[in-house]
Amino acid sequence: MAGAAVVAAVAVATLTGCSFRIEEASCGGGEYPVLAVNSGGSDCVPDGEEPAQGCARYPEGKVPEKVGDKWDTYWSTHTLDENGEIIELPEGG
């Protein structure tokens, strides 16, 4: 039923000339995002589990919620070093 609602919304937006954007969550329900230490990249970890070696939780208040949001964009050019300090990724990250 939800799929039909999305199709209907897209059809209405197309016919009326309205534009709308479907925002994709950074992680699914029951997961939280983590980033790779000293390199680019991210992953999702099940709630209640710790990040794998080489990954870290995002700093509080700087966690991406949606693909393309402020923090998702920021972390595409930054990461954390092994001391938890924010560093800029080298070009080509």
Side-chain angles (χ1 to χ4, degrees):
M1 207 60 172
V6 171
V7 170
V10 170
V12 168
T14 303
L15 294 173
T16 61
C18 296
S19 66
F20 86 102
R21 188 172 138 225
I22 297 174
E23 293 184 335
E24 184 178 342
S26 296
C27 290
E31 297 179 318
Y32 67 93
V34 296
L35 75 161
V37 174
N38 282 319
S39 68
S42 62
D43 199 3
C44 295
V45 176
D47 290 343
E49 289 187 20
E50 290 299 314
Q53 186 172 355
C55 291
R57 293 175 186 264
Y58 287 91
E60 189 173 333
K62 298 180 179 180
V63 180
E65 300 291 329
K66 305 278 184 200
V67 173
D69 72 10
K70 171 185 171 180
W71 292 116
D72 184 55
T73 302
Y74 177 82
W75 291 111
S76 69
T77 59
H78 295 79
T79 193
L80 296 177
D81 68 12
E82 61 280 350
N83 300 313
E85 298 294 321
I86 297 174
I87 58 171
E88 195 165 331
L89 284 169
E91 275 200 44

